[in-house]
């Protein structure tokens, strides 16, 4: 039985399921041929990193849909490549906005549904409904028959959708101003939610789910619940694409990102050791593709908002000097270099012998371990590096919370 100190990202049943999906891959594992395994897994890794995800954002004029297109991509309304926003309808045709870090994740700002003669079927044909993985239907006031009509049309196409009631922060401020002595946040939220549900049910929608959001304070209210629903209902590759692209605004999101990335560490390690490996200088018996590892480590930092651009933007948003945020980061504060990866591999190799023995207890990976110490060392390095990145991201998040409370 494997040691308790070794927790593999995938369960044994999940690994075996992946292996048995391809006969050639299974035979490669059984033969213990790491290059053969890696050649098959390289295509899987490429597909995972480049899978396309298209999300359609729609709603009435002034509902905040264009602001949401920006916010979910981690942008402000005035940032470069942001969607145009305004109190009147700004979007005439479906407009794609690729995520600035993950261009395979595309958020579409769709034309509004405010026309008096709105017809869902014509609208869905116009926006090419089949191109989207799911839709988000936004209103800043009450849901109407138009929203319900659109939802039914989407359902008929076997597509998913989510109702979002935006500008909750505006309602909060107005209620607090009118009733300062009796104001209750929970009561206001309950009233808004009940109104949304009642109106949608009155239009014939069964058990509608509505998420209450503030586009300018995305981490508040129901965004976490919306994120959980979106992630849960996507197939695994697209789920991963959405998770790594989500803004880092809560600890649960950080944890879900980490869990998804941990599931693929063995995949990255196999490819790095099996495709174009070269001896690592100063690290005995370890050969791998250092540039693949640089790419992966930079990807971890990018997903958790620890790259230079993200930290600089965060400092600007918080009106703090960049060095104050960097002080909370324990990991590398500059670009990932070949020298850094070699150093990390050297640290990981100290425990590689014991780690290799642990891998031997996992049926699907034991053959990889017998191919040498390289896989175990690379796997260990990636696992420890991801843990360090997550810890830094949590520290930055806490710094953000502390500053916003002041």
């Amino acid at each position: 039985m494997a040691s308790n100190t070794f927790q593999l990202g995938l369960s044994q049943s999940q690994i075996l399921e992946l292996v048995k999906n391809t006969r050639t891959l299974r035979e490669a594992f059984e033969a213990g041929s790491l290059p053969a395994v890696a050649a098959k897994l390289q295509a899987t890794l490429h597909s995972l990193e480049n899978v396309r995800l298209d999300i359609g954002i729609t709603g009435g004029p002034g509902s905040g849909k264009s602001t949401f297109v920006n916010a979910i991509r981690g942008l402000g309304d005035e940032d470069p490549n942001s969607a145009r926003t305004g109190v009147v309808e700004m979007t005439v045709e479906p407009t794609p906005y690729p995520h600035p870090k993950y261009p395979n994740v595309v958020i579409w700002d769709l034309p509004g549904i405010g026309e008096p003669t709105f017809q869902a079927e014509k609208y869905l044909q116009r926006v090419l409904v089949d191109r989207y993985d799911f839709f988000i239907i936004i209103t800043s006031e009450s849901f109407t028959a138009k929203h319900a009509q659109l939802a039914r049309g989407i359902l008929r196409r076997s597509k998913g959708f989510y109702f979002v009631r935006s500008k909750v922060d505006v309602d909060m401020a107005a209620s607090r101003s009118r009733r300062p002595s009796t104001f209750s946040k929970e009561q206001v939220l309950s009233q808004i939610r009940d109104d949304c549900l009642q109106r949608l049910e009155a239009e014939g929608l069964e058990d509608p789910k509505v998420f209450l959001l503030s586009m300018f304070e995305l981490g508040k209210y129901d965004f976490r619940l919306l994120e959980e629903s979106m992630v849960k209902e996507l197939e695994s590759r697209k789920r991963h694409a959405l998770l790594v692209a989500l803004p880092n605004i809560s600890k649960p999101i950080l944890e879900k990102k980490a869990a998804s990335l941990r599931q693929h560490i063995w995949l990255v390690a196999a490819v790095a050791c099996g495709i174009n490996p070269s001896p690592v200088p100063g690290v005995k018996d370890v050969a791998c593709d250092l540039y693949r590892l640089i790419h992966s480590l930079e990807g971890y930092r990018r997903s958790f908002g620890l790259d230079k651009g993200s930290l600089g933007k965060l400092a600007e948003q918080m009106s703090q000097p960049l060095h104050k945020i960097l002080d909370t980061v324990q990991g590398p504060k500059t670009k990932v270099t070949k020298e850094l990866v070699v150093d990390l591999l050297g640290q990981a190799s100290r425990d590689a012998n014991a780690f290799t023995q642990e891998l031997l207890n996992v049926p699907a990976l034991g053959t990889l371990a017998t191919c040498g110490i390289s896989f175990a060392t690379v796997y260990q390095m990636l696992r420890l590096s991801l843990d360090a990145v997550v810890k830094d991201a949590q520290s930055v998040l806490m710094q953000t919370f502390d500053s916003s409370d002041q």
Side-chain angles (χ1 to χ4, degrees), residues 13-82:
S13 61
Q14 289 173 311
I15 295 170
L16 293 173
E17 181 66 27
L18 284 172
V19 174
K20 74 179 184 181
N21 282 342
T22 306
R23 180 178 178 183
T24 305
L25 182 57
R26 185 178 70 248
E27 291 173 350
F29 268 112
E30 291 170 349
S33 171
L34 182 54
V37 172
K40 299 296 181 181
L41 293 183
Q42 186 177 40
T44 301
L45 184 59
H46 181 271
S47 174
L48 182 71
E49 294 178 339
N50 295 279
V51 64
R52 176 78 177 230
L53 178 66
D54 293 272
I55 305 172
I57 313 297
T58 186
S63 63
K65 62 184 180 68
S66 297
T67 298
F68 182 78
V69 168
N70 296 330
I72 201 170
R73 295 185 301 139
L75 300 177
D77 287 350
E78 295 183 332
D79 287 342
N81 302 315
S82 62

Side-chain angles (χ1 to χ4, degrees), residues 360-402:
L360 287 169
N361 292 303
V362 183
L365 294 185
T367 51
L368 286 176
T370 62
C371 293
I373 205 169
S374 295
F375 177 83
T377 301
V378 171
Y379 187 103
Q380 181 81 322
M381 185 277 287
L382 289 170
R383 187 164 64 109
L384 294 173
S385 296
L386 179 57
D387 289 345
V389 166
V390 174
K391 187 175 180 180
D392 278 342
Q394 291 172 341
S395 297
V396 170
L397 183 64
M398 291 306 300
Q399 172 79 4
T400 305
F401 281 149
D402 291 343

Side-chain angles (χ1 to χ4, degrees), residues 51-57 91-97 104-111 123-135 154 157-160 234 238:
V51 64
R52 176 78 177 230
L53 178 66
D54 293 272
I55 305 172
I57 313 297
T91 309
V92 179
E93 295 295 333
T95 306
Y97 290 94
N104 52 306
V105 177
V106 182
I107 315 297
W108 291 78
D109 193 359
L110 303 183
Y123 178 86
L124 291 173
Q125 291 175 14
R126 175 186 171 193
V127 301
L128 302 178
V129 59
D130 290 334
R131 93 176 10 138
Y132 311 102
D133 292 284
F134 62 86
F135 294 81
I154 294 171
R157 276 50 173 212
S158 299
K159 296 283 184 176
L234 285 170
K238 297 197 174 191

Side-chain angles (χ1 to χ4, degrees), residues 282-299:
V283 185
K284 185 179 179 182
D285 297 328
V286 174
C288 62
D289 181 354
L290 290 176
Y291 295 100
R292 157 49 66 183
L293 299 182
I294 291 173
H295 173 78
S296 296
L297 295 186
E298 287 184 338

